[in-house]
């Protein structure tokens, strides 16, 4: 099924209240140029977007994930955030780190804005999910990473607006702070076992959704967020 990414972008880039998980404040998108480096969009707003739900449940994505996991998996969590251009020190996940969301998981990333060298590309250290280094839950600076890994092992992911990629983010990775253009990103977590942040009880009623047929088709996938 075709996804209307433009609709997703228009909805998520419309004026809304954002929260800054790393700067301990809430603000509005129009205020971003005052002092904030990152701003997260409310989860409920994301899951009320029909195109986002269609993306989460897209047949091709489910097929790829099924081949990867080999067992039943769930839609575990979702985020979308703005990374605002700045030339100050990197903030939070703009430093190298590993994700510890669950024991067996993948994340789907969608660039909702064009991402070039100056617009906050993701950086991954190839095959670092298999290497026993930097395993503390911490942030690591570029110098530490460059001392341990070769230049050719450091992968920078750029792309046009609406580029999609899947990643095992137990790999060491970061998002470079944008210096020219603000970046808007959507990220979906799929896992075999629910993460700590996954809802313990379903939040939404699948029968009231405009894409209820899609949700009912994939009940097991959506069971953490939707009741049937």
């Amino acid at each position: 099924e075709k996804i209307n990414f433009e609709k997703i972008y228009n909805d998520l880039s419309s004026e809304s209240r954002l929260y800054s998980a790393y700067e301990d404040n809430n603000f509005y998108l129009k205020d971003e140029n005052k002092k904030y480096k990152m701003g997260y969009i409310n989860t409920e707003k994301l899951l009320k977007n029909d195109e986002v739900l269609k993306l989460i449940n897209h047949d091709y994505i489910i097929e790829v994930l099924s081949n990867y996991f080999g067992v039943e998996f769930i839609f575990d969590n979702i985020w979308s955030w703005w990374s605002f251009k700045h030339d100050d020190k990197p903030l939070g996940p703009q430093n190298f780190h590993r994700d510890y969301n669950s024991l067996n998981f993948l994340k789907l990333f969608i660039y909702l804005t064009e991402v070039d060298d100056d617009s906050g590309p993701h950086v991954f250290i190839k095959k670092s999910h298999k290497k026993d280094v930097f395993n503390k839950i911490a942030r690591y600076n570029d110098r530490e990473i460059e001392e341990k890994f070769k230049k050719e092992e450091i992968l920078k992911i750029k792309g046009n607006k609406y580029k999609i990629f899947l990643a095992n983010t137990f790999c060491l990775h970061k998002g470079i702070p944008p210096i020219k253009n603000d970046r808007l990103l959507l990220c979906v977590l799929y896992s075999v076992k629910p993460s700590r942040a996954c809802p313990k009880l379903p939040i939404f009623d699948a029968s009231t959704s405009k894409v209820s047929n899609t949700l009912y088709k994939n009940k097991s996938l959506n069971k953490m967020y939707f009741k049937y």
Side-chain angles (χ1 to χ4, degrees), residues 121-158:
H122 258 51
V123 178
F124 286 85
I125 308 302
K126 296 178 183 179
K127 300 182 180 180
S128 58
H129 63 300
K130 297 181 179 180
K131 297 187 177 180
D132 189 17
V133 292
F134 302 116
N135 281 325
K136 292 182 179 180
I137 300 178
R139 309 295 190 188
Y140 302 98
N141 61 44
D142 290 359
R143 179 185 54 78
E144 292 175 292
I145 296 298
E146 290 167 1
E147 285 177 353
K148 189 67 178 178
F149 295 97
K150 298 176 182 178
K151 186 176 181 179
E152 55 267 28
E153 294 179 283
I154 302 175
L155 173 67
K156 185 185 293 184
I157 300 180
K158 298 175 284 186

Side-chain angles (χ1 to χ4, degrees), residues 2-17:
K2 190 173 182 180
I3 308 298
N4 188 339
F5 287 100
E6 195 69 21
K7 185 177 178 180
I8 295 176
Y9 170 77
N10 289 338
D11 183 27
L12 301 189
S13 62
S14 63
E15 182 55 42
S16 60
R17 191 168 182 82

Side-chain angles (χ1 to χ4, degrees), residues 57 206-207 209-219 228:
N57 287 270
S207 65
S209 173
K210 292 180 181 179
V211 292
S212 59
N213 289 342
T214 298
L215 298 175
Y216 275 88
K217 177 185 174 183
N218 301 307
K219 277 187 177 182
Y228 299 91

Side-chain angles (χ1 to χ4, degrees), residues 60-225:
Y60 179 71
I61 292 172
I62 291 176
E63 180 183 355
V64 172
L65 292 169
S66 295
N67 290 332
Y68 177 84
F69 289 125
V71 294
E72 188 176 281
F73 57 93
I74 58 170
F75 157 47
D76 186 301
N77 213 331
I78 186 169
W79 306 266
S80 183
W81 67 93
W82 284 96
S83 296
F84 301 118
K85 57 187 177 184
H86 69 88
D87 55 7
D88 198 359
K89 293 180 180 179
L91 176 71
Q94 295 175 344
N95 298 283
F96 279 105
H97 63 284
R98 295 183 186 273
D99 290 344
Y100 292 85
N101 297 92
S102 189
L103 293 175
N104 194 1
F105 68 94
L106 283 181
K107 286 185 177 179
L108 178 74
F109 292 90
I110 306 94
Y111 286 156
L112 294 175
T113 50
E114 183 175 350
V115 174
D116 58 18
D117 283 314
D118 297 325
S119 306
H122 258 51
V123 178
F124 286 85
I125 308 302
K126 296 178 183 179
K127 300 182 180 180
S128 58
H129 63 300
K130 297 181 179 180
K131 297 187 177 180
D132 189 17
V133 292
F134 302 116
N135 281 325
K136 292 182 179 180
I137 300 178
R139 309 295 190 188
Y140 302 98
N141 61 44
D142 290 359
R143 179 185 54 78
E144 292 175 292
I145 296 298
E146 290 167 1
E147 285 177 353
K148 189 67 178 178
F149 295 97
K150 298 176 182 178
K151 186 176 181 179
E152 55 267 28
E153 294 179 283
I154 302 175
L155 173 67
K156 185 185 293 184
I157 300 180
K158 298 175 284 186
N160 294 328
K161 194 175 183 180
Y162 310 140
K163 179 182 177 70
I164 296 178
F165 56 96
L166 280 163
N168 178 342
T169 56
F170 184 65
C171 273
L172 287 158
H173 66 286
K174 69 172 183 175
I176 297 176
I179 58 175
K180 185 175 70 174
N181 300 304
D182 298 337
R183 187 196 72 180
L184 178 60
L185 180 78
L186 180 66
C187 176
V188 182
L189 170 65
Y190 298 92
S191 64
V192 172
K193 296 292 184 181
S195 68
R196 184 174 58 181
C198 186
K200 304 304 179 282
L201 293 172
I203 302 169
F204 305 101
D205 187 340
S207 65
T208 64
S209 173
K210 292 180 181 179
V211 292
S212 59
N213 289 342
T214 298
L215 298 175
Y216 275 88
K217 177 185 174 183
N218 301 307
K219 277 187 177 182
S220 179
L221 177 73
N222 298 289
K223 65 185 179 181
M224 304 307 293
Y225 279 90

Side-chain angles (χ1 to χ4, degrees), residues 42-73:
N42 183 274
T43 302
E44 186 172 355
K45 182 179 178 73
L46 302 177
L47 293 180
K48 285 185 175 180
N49 186 302
D50 300 336
E51 298 300 318
V52 169
L53 294 178
K54 286 160 58 176
L55 175 64
I56 293 169
N57 287 270
H58 196 279
D59 288 343
Y60 179 71
I61 292 172
I62 291 176
E63 180 183 355
V64 172
L65 292 169
S66 295
N67 290 332
Y68 177 84
F69 289 125
V71 294
E72 188 176 281
F73 57 93

